[in-house]
Amino acid sequence: MIKASMVGFETVTVDSFDGLVVDHAKEVGATGIIRGLRQVSDFEFEFQMALMNRKLAGDITTIFLMPHEKYTYLNSTVIRNLASLKADVSDFVPPIVHDALKKKFKK
């Protein structure tokens, strides 16, 4: 679903891996890791991970991005719960994900 959602974004590559993110970043020639911070509670964990990644691979930079305030309360659990109760989540997920959720939680 991620690959399908990224069709048309020519500079985006969808990939998966096992192991350390910094090792994968090096393998693919990345110079940075982008991480999202929704809430203050995310920061402590993400900051700790960024410091460890810096220790393991000082040449890989972690970049933190914050969402628009209207999305700060969203996470996959909230979306899944809403979808399971037949709420419209189409404003929050790509069409392919919306269709999959509707199919999964169909009566």
Side-chain angles (χ1 to χ4, degrees), residues 55-89:
K55 178 69 175 162
L56 295 172
D59 55 332
I60 306 286
T61 301
T62 299
I63 302 160
F64 295 112
L65 296 179
M66 296 182 304
H68 188 282
E69 63 191 32
K70 68 182 179 179
Y71 298 117
T72 58
Y73 59 91
L74 291 177
N75 60 49
S76 61
T77 302
V78 169
I79 297 297
R80 193 171 34 256
N81 288 342
L82 287 170
S84 74
L85 297 169
K86 311 296 187 269
D88 181 11
V89 296

Side-chain angles (χ1 to χ4, degrees), residues 13-70:
T13 301
V14 176
D15 199 3
S16 64
F17 62 94
D18 291 315
L20 297 173
V21 68
V22 290
D23 290 343
H24 185 67
K26 287 179 182 180
E27 286 177 20
V28 299
T31 58
I33 299 167
I34 298 173
R35 302 291 298 175
L37 298 174
R38 289 186 310 258
Q39 301 175 18
V40 174
S41 58
D42 292 341
F43 180 77
E44 186 175 342
F45 173 77
E46 293 294 343
F47 184 64
Q48 185 179 27
M49 294 308 307
L51 291 176
M52 182 54 69
N53 287 339
R54 183 187 295 167
K55 178 69 175 162
L56 295 172
D59 55 332
I60 306 286
T61 301
T62 299
I63 302 160
F64 295 112
L65 296 179
M66 296 182 304
H68 188 282
E69 63 191 32
K70 68 182 179 179

